[in-house]
Amino acid sequence: MRSFDDIWALAVERKGETAVRDALLFPKTKADIASTPDDRILSLMTRCIFQSGFNWKVVDAMWPGFEAAFEGFDIGRCAMLHDEDFGRLVSDTRIVRHGQKIRSVQENAVFLSDLARDHGSVGAFLAAWPGHDTAGLLELLRLKGSRLGGNTGQYVLRFVGIDGYILSQSVVNRLVAEGVVSKAPTSARDKAAVQSAFNTWREQSGRSLTEISRVLALSID
C-alpha cells in the first residue's frame, strides 16, 4: 500500500496541485455537528434516499415541496405517520411518489427519535461517534435505518459534515490498486480493511478522512 504522500503525488500528477487543493472537502467541527437540529438530519437522510438512483437536479428542484409535504421533517410528527398519511403522500405531486422511499421517512424518524431520546439529540450522538470507526457508523445506519445502506449512508454522513469517506468507483479503484480490497467492499472483513487503510493514511498525513477520500478519487479518476 502506497503512503499518502505517494497517492497525493499521483493526484497532483493527474490534476495539478492547485486543482487537487481546490477540490478538497472538509468535515464540520464536532460542535457544529452536535448543534444540527434533528429535523435537518432527517431532511438530509430523506434527500439522499430520494436522490439515490434518481436525477439529483429533479429532487433538488422539488425539495421545497418535500419540506412542505413532510411538515419540515419534524421527527416526532414523521414518526407518527399512519396509513392515511401515506395514502395522501403517494398522491402528492410536490414530491417523488415512490412508496417505499416515502415509507422510509417514517421509519427513519423512529430511528432518529430513539437516538435523540438516548443521547439528547441526533447531532450529539453523531458528534460523539469515534472518528476511527466510520465503518461502524455506516453499519449502524444500514442495520437500524431504512434504505441507508451502501453509498446512501455515506452521503448522509458527508452532507451532515461528519468526517468519513465515500466509496465511489474511483475511490474503490484506488483501494484495489493499493491491494486493500479486490472489489467494492461488502464483507465485514473488507470493510474493516478499508477503515484500517484510511486510518493509516490519516496518521501519515494528519488530514481528515474526508480529504483523503477526495485525494484517492483524484489520484485515479
Side-chain angles (χ1 to χ4, degrees), residues 118-166:
D118 294 340
H119 301 276
S121 72
V122 181
F125 168 79
L126 294 173
W129 191 271
H132 64 270
D133 189 24
T134 300
L137 184 52
L138 290 170
E139 186 68 3
L140 176 71
L141 294 181
R142 185 183 74 83
L143 292 175
K144 299 293 187 180
S146 176
R147 305 182 74 90
L148 295 177
N151 283 7
T152 301
Q154 295 166 29
Y155 277 111
V156 168
L157 299 188
R158 173 65 55 83
F159 293 149
V160 171
I162 295 165
D163 189 19
Y165 43 77
I166 290 180

Side-chain angles (χ1 to χ4, degrees), residues 73-181:
F73 291 99
D74 178 88
I75 63 172
R77 285 199 293 269
C78 288
M80 297 298 291
L81 290 174
H82 48 72
D83 288 344
E84 284 187 11
D85 295 311
F86 290 119
R88 167 179 55 82
L89 288 165
V90 295
S91 302
D92 195 326
T93 58
R94 295 174 296 178
I95 66 175
V96 177
R97 289 165 287 173
H98 186 298
Q100 291 179 333
K101 291 186 177 185
I102 291 170
R103 178 73 65 174
S104 75
V105 178
Q106 188 266 342
E107 293 167 343
N108 284 323
V110 172
F111 168 46
L112 295 185
S113 295
D114 290 343
L115 290 180
R117 180 195 64 224
D118 294 340
H119 301 276
S121 72
V122 181
F125 168 79
L126 294 173
W129 191 271
H132 64 270
D133 189 24
T134 300
L137 184 52
L138 290 170
E139 186 68 3
L140 176 71
L141 294 181
R142 185 183 74 83
L143 292 175
K144 299 293 187 180
S146 176
R147 305 182 74 90
L148 295 177
N151 283 7
T152 301
Q154 295 166 29
Y155 277 111
V156 168
L157 299 188
R158 173 65 55 83
F159 293 149
V160 171
I162 295 165
D163 189 19
Y165 43 77
I166 290 180
L167 298 179
S168 65
Q169 188 59 59
S170 296
V171 172
V172 170
N173 288 345
R174 172 51 61 197
L175 292 168
V176 170
E178 299 308 312
V180 177
V181 291

Side-chain angles (χ1 to χ4, degrees), residues 195-212:
Q195 183 71 68
S196 178
F198 270 92
N199 289 345
T200 296
W201 287 320
R202 181 171 59 178
E203 291 171 5
Q204 291 173 350
S205 66
R207 291 183 178 273
S208 66
L209 301 182
T210 304
E211 294 170 85
I212 293 167

Side-chain angles (χ1 to χ4, degrees), residues 29-37 121-125 127:
T29 66
K30 288 187 178 296
D32 283 342
I33 294 168
S35 66
T36 304
S121 72
V122 181
F125 168 79

